[in-house]
Structures are given as C-alpha cells and as structure tokens.
Amino acid sequence: MADRLPPALIPLPERRSPAELADSAPEEAGDSPSGLHVWLGGHCHWQPEALTNAHAVILGASGSGKTQTLKAIALSLHQQQSDLRVRILDFHGDQSLPQETVIPLHQCSPWGIAPLTVHPDPEGGGPALQAIAVAASLRRLLKLGPNQEGLLLTLFDQCYQQRGITADQSTWSFEPPTFADLERFLAMQAASGLAEAKRLQLKLAALFRYGVFSRPQSDSEQSLLRLDLCKLPPEIAALAAESFVAQELSNHRLNGEADQVKTVLFIDEAKELRGSSVLDRVLMDGRKYGLAIVLASQSEQHLSAEVLRNSATKVVLPVDQTEVRTVARRFRLSEDRLAKLQPLEALCRFGVQLRHVQIHPYWQRHGAES
C-alpha cells in the first residue's frame, strides 16, 4: 500500500521507563474505556468528551506519521459511533478512508461551495454579516486593500438584492447568490470605467476561473465525508475550507447546545487557515454545540496561541530538529524526550496528563480489517 510506513522506519526508543513501556504494550481485551474514545496505541486512549473540550492538535514534521495518525483517529471515530459526523478537509489528497463519501473540488468538478449562504440566526446572521465575513476572508487571503474590500461589500449587497435577500429574515432562506453573480456585477462596474473595479477583477480572476464558488454545493449528510481540495490553488482551497467550517458552525448553533460531540472536523493543514476568525470561533464555541476540530500541522509556527489554548489534546510526533526547543517550550514537554522521538512515536497531552505512546497507524488497522 502506498501510504504504509515500512516497519524499519518505526523503531522503539532505546531507553524507556516502565510507565512508558506500558504505553507501548498491546491493547488488552476489555481495556477500552466507556464513552467516545479512540485507541491511539498500547493502553492509551483519547477520550475527547472526558476533557474540557474535544479539540485536538497533531504536530509532526514530514515523515513523522502525522497522516497515518490522522487517518487512524478518523477511522476509529467513524467505526465506533455510526451517528457521529466525520468531516475531513483534505488539502493534500492523502486522507481517503474506506466507506467514505468524497466531494472533489476542482476546475471540472460539478460541485462547489456556497460562501454567501446566509446564516438564519436573527442575532448573528443575515446577508450583511455574511458579506462582511466573506469580504474579510478575501481580504486576508488575497491581500485586498480597504477600497477593494469596500467595493466587495457593495457588490455583495447587490448580489443579495438580486436574489431577493434583504434585511427581512423571511428572505434569508432564499437561494444564495454565487460568485457568478459577483463576477457579473463587478464586470459592470469595470465597464463603467471604475479603476478599483478593474484592479479587483485581477485579484479575483483565479476565483472566477476555477468556478468553485459558482457551482451548487453538495448536501450529502453521509456520516463520513471528505472534501478533496488538493487540486485547488492554496487561496481558493483556504476560502472553500473556511466557508465549509463556517457553515458547520452555523448549523450546529441552529440545532442548539449539545452535551456530546456530534461532528468532528479534520483539517490536515493548519497553515491554510492560519489567522482565520472562523477557526477561532469553532475552537472557542464549538464544544457548546457538539462541534470538535482535529487540526494538524507540520510546523508549530502555524499554530497560534489561541489554537493551543483552546485545544485540550495535543499529540506531538517527531518535529524538525530546528523546532525542538520551541515546541518543547510551547507544549510543556521535555526537550530531550522530544528530540529522541521516532516516526509514529508521540508525546500526548490530555489536559494535564502526559503519555508517551507508540501510535498504532492507520495502515495496520485497515490492513487487519481487510
């Protein structure tokens, strides 16, 4: 199998304490805790609902086993609880799982994302707030100036009005506008001689050409769903992912508070959503509504203090040697133990508890089933 790691690349550490050796022993029958849990390896389980929140960060350099760990966790959650929604935002195209429903987003795909969908919450929704949120995302991703952002807000207002969506809440369920509407209104402004409109056209040219935000969005509610973003340019993939996450948060808010996890979002590249206000809102408010995030990164530089502060679980695989000291300090780990980690070996922090674990990878779990 292409994504298997040869056993030779997964050596155990040379010296380990009795407690650490216990964590690398095979799992025994009847060892599994009650409630939602994921067996990571040995006698170590992740119990997201037993912690202050169900969010997790997975950090590891290229070749550390990060992809195998992510897939192992996603597969375990899907198999354990049939009504748990698992949503994978796949930036690299290597997160496929058995029995998944995959939605490919690329230039020739029939599917898209609708970032201008209106949140129907009377206090935190409506077309005006949605326009502001999307304009802010585009400003951050495409480095728009204040005049271009202001023009975008005007154009979004025209798009909503054309669809009959106004400040009247009864119109918020109407079909939302797409970027095809935006492209048309922007072309009219540019044709009238507005210089800022012509500059904005150049900034948005790739978004319009790929058409991802001008096509219908799949309404699939399969329990295991993967959004394949690997063939999109980074800026377009980031906007698609951010829009999808925002919709998930909106839907969970509408359904009210929850006392258990209903949906887990897997994001395999934290740097693509770095600085996203949507991601911060999920990390702060998701627990209340049953929405959890598992966020992976190759570098600690892509993980903000807000992300670390609001993630009760941290799984640290081998990192680049240039980052060992910084990672040890930020994650409160022993620098010496971190430096000696081998592929698929992790230091796992669950709240205040720290475990040293040999990760049981996806390829071994999936291979055992087939």
Side-chain angles (χ1 to χ4, degrees), residues 83-273:
D83 59 345
L84 180 71
R85 298 168 75 250
V86 174
R87 299 291 181 263
I88 301 171
L89 303 185
D90 186 358
F91 285 92
H92 299 297
D94 56 3
Q95 295 293 319
S96 61
L97 292 173
Q99 301 176 345
E100 69 174 12
T101 296
V102 59
I103 300 176
L105 294 183
H106 50 72
Q107 198 165 4
C108 301
S109 171
W111 301 114
I113 291 289
L116 295 174
T117 299
V118 176
H119 184 355
D121 182 355
E123 296 180 354
L129 288 180
Q130 189 63 31
I132 291 171
V134 176
S137 295
L138 289 172
R139 179 197 65 212
R140 176 176 59 85
L141 294 168
L142 302 179
K143 297 178 173 57
L144 302 182
N147 291 339
Q148 293 171 335
E149 185 179 11
L151 178 56
L152 261 181
L153 289 172
T154 300
L155 294 170
F156 284 151
D157 185 52
Q158 294 174 354
C159 291
Y160 280 122
Q161 288 184 20
Q162 183 203 32
R163 297 286 181 130
I165 301 174
T166 66
D168 182 352
Q169 190 181 352
S170 66
T171 68
W172 295 359
S173 60
F174 292 179
E175 183 178 351
T178 70
F179 273 34
D181 301 313
L182 173 63
E183 183 177 17
R184 184 169 61 256
F185 281 113
L186 180 56
M188 292 168 59
Q189 292 281 357
S192 70
L194 185 63
E196 202 63 66
K198 295 179 180 179
R199 286 191 285 269
L200 187 56
Q201 276 185 317
L202 293 175
K203 289 274 191 177
L204 300 179
L207 294 181
F208 295 148
R209 176 165 296 184
Y210 272 81
V212 170
F213 307 110
S214 300
R215 302 191 195 109
Q217 182 168 334
S218 170
D219 59 358
S220 175
E221 272 301 313
Q222 296 297 315
S223 59
L224 178 59
L225 184 70
R226 180 170 64 95
L227 205 63
D228 189 350
L229 307 166
C230 71
K231 295 183 180 178
L232 295 176
E235 295 82 3
I236 299 178
L239 181 59
E242 193 170 80
S243 300
F244 186 87
V245 172
Q247 290 174 16
E248 285 292 327
L249 180 58
S250 296
N251 292 336
H252 281 71
R253 278 176 169 166
L254 285 175
N255 290 331
E257 297 187 11
D259 57 4
Q260 61 183 13
V261 176
K262 293 182 175 180
T263 301
V264 182
L265 296 174
F266 286 80
I267 301 176
D268 73 340
E269 196 56 79
K271 72 176 181 180
E272 302 300 345
L273 292 182

